[in-house]
Amino acid sequence: MYSVLCLVSCFISLNGMSQGNNLEIPDINMKLRTEARAARQAASVAIHYLNYHHGSPHNVFQLHQLKKASLEIMVNEGRKYHLKFEVRNGRFSNVTKFCTAKVLFYKKSVPDTVLKCNFKDSDGFKEDYEFYLNLRKRMDPVVGYNIPDNFGFIAPETRPIWQLAIVSASYIMWQKSTEVMKYNMAQIQEVHQQIRTDEFLQFTYIVLLHEIPSQEIITCNMWVMWQPKQSPNVKYTCLPSPTESFSEESEFGRPEGME
């Protein structure tokens, strides 16, 4: 009877996304409601990972529907979420793609994420390449402030700059996410293009990230190098939020774990 009550208690706690359970729990697998906060939080981490690896200035993914979610509790390792979900490109609200993901949360590490999707990286390549060539030809570098503005407006000519920031910031948001802490990009405070003589475009961003559930706004400086058909190279520093004791910093490179 005690073991049955323990399993029921664990299931209710995880579907409600409670914190602070330090009990020793045996390895267990359980199905989660797709509307449960824990399941949707794991899905948001997978979307950040997807956008960093497969997104571009004309190809930003959003969660369309979480189809299936389960949780594997791994003693002394962490909690692994198994997900099946549909995503859509923000440009085409009626076109969906299918993905599966495994997201493992450790106590003190970035989420270990493995992702498989049924689409190719060629979506949006034509528009990306035109954007790339236009900026390579510019004699005056791109400069922008407050995107979107205070009314939520984004000028059409700056939307690719905004979406490249989302794709690049997805690397930061993926690294900072936990089982209880979620991030969205709220605004570009400043963006400056750095003219280069090699094949890369380079930008310096100051971006604002919205931290949930704390509702804090996190300021991050972000340096981005990008060219078509490649994930951006991202280096960043973020001011600490009240939920952190120190600032975080990354080096240029791609996170591992992609199948």
Side-chain angles (χ1 to χ4, degrees):
M1 177 61 73
Y2 175 81
S3 61
V4 172
L5 291 175
C6 180
L7 289 176
V8 172
S9 174
C10 292
F11 181 82
I12 293 173
S13 172
L14 286 163
N15 274 272
M17 201 60 182
S18 64
Q19 306 175 49
N21 189 350
N22 296 318
L23 293 174
E24 288 291 332
I25 305 174
D27 287 2
I28 185 172
N29 292 278
M30 62 182 72
K31 183 178 179 180
L32 297 178
R33 294 179 291 109
T34 55
E35 67 272 19
R37 184 179 173 190
R40 298 192 71 82
Q41 170 62 6
S44 75
V45 173
I47 294 295
H48 290 322
Y49 191 83
L50 170 63
N51 271 322
Y52 175 69
H53 281 280
H54 295 279
S56 74
H58 293 88
N59 204 32
V60 175
F61 297 98
Q62 301 170 356
L63 179 64
H64 178 68
Q65 186 176 12
L66 183 57
K67 307 290 285 187
K68 188 176 181 181
S70 62
L71 172 62
E72 180 182 0
I73 299 176
M74 306 171 68
V75 176
N76 299 324
E77 288 192 55
R79 298 176 180 178
K80 181 185 289 186
Y81 292 81
H82 301 260
L83 308 168
K84 294 183 179 181
F85 55 93
E86 290 179 340
V87 297
R88 60 183 176 87
N89 188 314
R91 298 184 301 156
F92 309 112
S93 59
N94 61 336
V95 178
T96 58
K97 310 287 186 177
F98 185 75
C99 296
T100 61
K102 298 176 184 178
V103 180
L104 175 59
F105 290 101
Y106 300 95
K107 288 185 178 181
K108 294 183 179 180
S109 183
V110 299
D112 187 7
T113 309
V114 178
L115 179 74
K116 290 183 179 180
C117 296
N118 69 339
F119 57 82
K120 298 180 180 179
D121 287 345
S122 58
D123 293 346
F125 174 71
K126 181 180 178 181
E127 296 92 334
D128 285 343
Y129 195 64
E130 290 175 354
F131 166 74
Y132 171 78
L133 290 180
N134 287 336
L135 266 63
R136 290 267 307 200
K137 295 176 190 175
R138 288 181 68 107
M139 300 301 294
D140 54 326
V142 170
V143 177
Y145 301 92
N146 299 325
I147 307 170
D149 65 18
N150 293 335
F151 301 98
F153 175 73
I154 301 174
E157 62 271 17
T158 61
R159 183 163 290 277
I161 300 293
W162 161 253
Q163 296 195 153
L164 179 59
I166 292 176
V167 169
S168 302
S170 291
Y171 177 66
I172 304 174
M173 295 186 285
W174 169 74
Q175 287 203 324
K176 292 174 72 67
S177 293
T178 68
E179 278 192 284
V180 297
M181 204 65 71
K182 179 179 178 180
Y183 294 87
N184 295 311
M185 200 177 86
Q187 189 182 52
I188 299 171
Q189 278 196 322
E190 294 184 25
V191 56
H192 299 269
Q193 181 187 1
Q194 313 298 314
I195 300 299
R196 298 177 64 96
T197 57
D198 60 11
E199 69 276 17
F200 285 96
L201 296 178
Q202 182 172 340
F203 301 90
T204 301
Y205 287 96
I206 300 177
V207 297
L208 302 181
L209 306 182
H210 182 203
E211 185 180 77
I212 304 169
S214 72
Q215 302 302 325
E216 297 291 339
I217 297 297
I218 313 301
T219 301
C220 296
N221 292 281
M222 184 169 68
W223 297 268
V224 175
M225 295 196 308
W226 175 81
Q227 60 178 321
K229 285 193 171 183
Q230 292 191 15
S231 301
N233 285 328
V234 179
K235 183 177 180 181
Y236 70 91
T237 58
C238 295
L239 296 178
S241 73
T243 60
E244 297 173 317
S245 60
F246 54 89
S247 61
E248 299 179 349
E249 185 170 337
S250 77
E251 297 298 329
F252 279 104
R254 296 165 60 97
E256 298 181 354
M258 190 77 167
E259 279 196 345

